[in-house]
């Protein structure tokens, strides 16, 4: 899996870091994590999940039939957690560098703490 991760992929892995989830739960959690900026469509989500399963970053935890339809619950794998941790650290360093530059050039109350 390439890094940096695309934001939807990052958010899918982040959502699964909490607990296994099924597709609809993932769509809702990604929307929540992104404050509504990312709205995954089912086709996009399942395409991403297929790629993540193929890359061994996500695995199917269990399957069940609900209202006559198959529902798969996905979980983050150990390699998926490692990729998420590396990407999170990369992003943290980038935020820290940008925050330091902004503080040096444009002191603002919006940059006083909590950002990095």
């Amino acid at each position: 899996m390439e890094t940096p991760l695309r934001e939807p992929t990052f958010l899918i892995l982040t959502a699964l870091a909490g607990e296994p989830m099924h597709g609809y739960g993932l769509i809702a959690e990604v929307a929540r994590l992104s404050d509504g900026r990312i709205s995954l469509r089912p086709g996009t989500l399942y395409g991403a999940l297929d790629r993540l399963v193929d890359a061994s970053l996500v695995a199917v935890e269990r399957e069940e039939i609900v209202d006559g339809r198959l529902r798969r619950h996905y979980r983050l794998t150990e390699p998926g957690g490692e990729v998420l941790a590396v990407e999170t650290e990369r992003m943290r360093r980038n935020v820290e560098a940008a925050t330091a530059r902004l503080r040096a050039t444009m002191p603002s109350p919006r940059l006083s703490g909590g950002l990095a």
Side-chain angles (χ1 to χ4, degrees):
M1 174 83 23
E2 290 182 32
T3 55
L5 297 175
R6 292 185 37 211
E7 188 173 15
T9 303
F10 177 81
L11 292 172
I12 291 168
L13 294 177
T14 301
L16 290 173
E19 63 183 326
M21 293 185 165
H22 57 80
Y24 180 76
L26 278 166
I27 288 170
E29 185 64 7
V30 165
R32 189 189 71 72
L33 288 168
S34 69
D35 291 326
R37 288 180 304 100
I38 306 288
S39 178
L40 294 175
R41 292 195 168 136
T44 302
L45 172 67
Y46 289 109
L49 286 170
D50 287 344
R51 287 188 298 278
L52 292 167
V53 167
D54 288 346
S56 299
L57 303 181
V58 167
V60 175
E61 172 83 358
R62 70 182 188 281
E63 297 177 335
E64 61 186 355
I65 303 295
V66 177
D67 296 328
R69 298 182 67 184
L70 179 65
R71 179 182 286 176
R72 285 191 175 106
H73 292 255
Y74 296 87
R75 67 174 171 79
L76 188 66
T77 63
E78 187 174 323
E82 291 169 7
V83 166
L84 180 60
V86 167
E87 184 67 357
T88 300
E89 178 60 19
R90 182 192 68 77
M91 292 169 67
R92 186 197 62 74
R93 286 191 315 268
N94 287 346
V95 167
E96 194 173 82
T99 301
R101 291 279 175 107
L102 287 169
R103 280 189 180 135
T105 59
M106 342 178 332
S108 166
R110 294 185 70 206
L111 295 175
S112 60
L115 218 175

